[in-house]
Structures are given as C-alpha cells and as structure tokens.
Amino acid sequence: MGDNPRPRIKKKEVSDSHVHDPEAYVQNCSSNRAKLIKSFTDAFDTHFYIDLHYTRRDYFGDENGPREGIGIEFVEPLVLKSFRHLLYYSLKHKGFIFINHPPPKHRAIRIVLKDIVAGEEVLNIIVEYQYRDINTYEVTVITAMRKEEFYFGEGDYCIEFEGNYSTLIFKQGGKNKVVDNYTC
C-alpha cells in the first residue's frame, strides 16, 4: 500500500440560498422586507384574425403586382412574438396604447410590426388589437407588405424586430423617434 492515502469523497456544501422559508421577509422589487404569500398566473386568450384586405393582397397582389412573401406562414410567427413586446412597452410607457376598447373610435389604433424574414426584405405588418374582456383579446392583420422603406403615419407606433430584440418607434414631426428597446 504506499504512503499515498486513497482519495476521499468530498461532501458538497449545501447552500441555503435555494431553501424557501415561507415565513421569511425578503427583498423584492418594492420593499426590503416583504413576505411572499402566493404566486399565480393569469392567462390571456388571444384570437388571431386576418382581414379580407390582407387576404386579397396575399392572393392577388395590388396594382404593382403580386405581394410575395406575405403569406400566413410569415405573418403568424411575427404576430405571436409581438404580444410580449407590446405588453412590455405598454406597461412601461404611459403614452403607448396598443389595445382598442369599445366603443369603436373613428380611427382605430394600429401598430406596424417589422421584421426581416429569412434574411430577405423587411416584412411589414399592420395589426389592430381589440379588447373583448379582461382575459380575451383579438388581433387582426389588416395588411402586409415586403418593403424596406415602409412608411407609417404621424402619431403612429412601429416595432422593429431583430430576433428577440425589438425597438419601439414613434412617428413625431415627420421623424421616427426611438422610444425604447426590449429583449424577450
């Protein structure tokens, strides 16, 4: 046997930082001493629609010819990923409202969603969100177009995506102003 002792199994140190004490007062976002009572999730039910105008542009094009690359297979993923970004911006910026509430207004709030799809031209989608009840919303794609320079109106918002990163832009005084950025 020699002078070298056999290696010993080392005990892992147990960290108590993962142990939750239900009676503990801990630091949260609002207080240095707050006790967690309960965690809960409240889900949203979103109904996804496409407008007849969008359908006609997808199938028949417009006066400039067919609108390639605006099919539902391109539009749907962008609409789905946009909701978290829209919610983040609306909770953070008091002036940013993207959901229309009844009764209908003369001019509904519409949002432009922009994303580069499959490394090609920019896909631009105009969407409208409607409140139905506290957990139910409708999103309707009004139209879509593949175009690098897509203009949106004065006082309107646009969200430009780059993967999971987005930039909220507001048109004011004829200029696009960056409001905020978010990574989901």
Side-chain angles (χ1 to χ4, degrees):
M1 295 253 164
D3 294 331
N4 295 335
R6 146 178 130 191
R8 299 285 178 214
I9 298 173
K10 294 182 181 179
K11 292 182 182 178
K12 290 184 181 179
E13 291 185 28
V14 177
S15 170
D16 62 351
S17 64
H18 298 318
V19 177
H20 173 69
D21 179 359
E23 298 302 317
Y25 284 82
V26 297
Q27 183 175 354
N28 72 359
C29 294
S30 301
S31 172
N32 289 328
R33 297 177 309 251
K35 183 165 96 173
L36 177 65
I37 300 300
K38 182 177 186 167
S39 294
F40 61 92
T41 302
D42 199 357
F44 295 113
D45 186 17
T46 306
H47 299 205
F48 179 38
Y49 291 87
I50 55 174
D51 189 81
L52 180 59
H53 176 82
Y54 161 77
T55 303
R56 287 180 176 155
R57 293 298 178 251
D58 184 26
Y59 287 111
F60 307 115
D62 57 19
E63 61 276 358
N64 298 320
R67 288 192 183 178
E68 299 293 330
I70 65 165
I72 198 71
E73 69 274 13
F74 299 107
V75 169
E76 184 178 2
L78 181 54
V79 170
L80 295 178
K81 91 173 171 180
S82 71
F83 190 74
R84 287 179 186 251
H85 294 258
L86 288 161
L87 191 58
Y88 171 82
Y89 291 131
S90 71
L91 292 171
K92 186 174 178 188
H93 299 281
K94 188 163 63 170
F96 177 65
I97 298 168
F98 73 99
I99 296 176
N100 294 280
H101 291 268
K105 297 178 181 155
H106 290 286
R107 183 176 186 267
I109 300 166
R110 291 182 173 174
I111 306 294
V112 176
L113 306 175
K114 298 179 107 173
D115 198 6
I116 297 173
V117 180
E120 298 175 14
E121 267 186 326
V122 176
L123 173 62
N124 303 279
I125 305 171
I126 297 177
V127 295
E128 202 173 287
Y129 284 84
Q130 298 289 337
Y131 172 89
R132 300 232 348 240
D133 64 49
I134 198 66
N135 291 69
T136 309
Y137 300 87
E138 289 180 0
V139 57
T140 304
V141 173
I142 304 300
T143 194
M145 179 182 282
R146 288 278 189 111
K147 187 176 182 183
E148 189 68 36
E149 296 299 320
F150 184 83
Y151 299 100
F152 55 101
E154 184 72 20
D156 287 343
Y157 285 94
C158 172
I159 298 181
E160 290 184 357
F161 289 90
E162 207 172 298
N164 288 326
Y165 177 84
S166 71
T167 302
L168 178 64
I169 299 168
F170 180 67
K171 172 86 62 132
Q172 183 178 31
K175 295 186 179 183
N176 295 345
K177 300 193 180 220
V178 172
V179 177
D180 201 356
N181 300 296
Y182 176 64
T183 303
C184 187

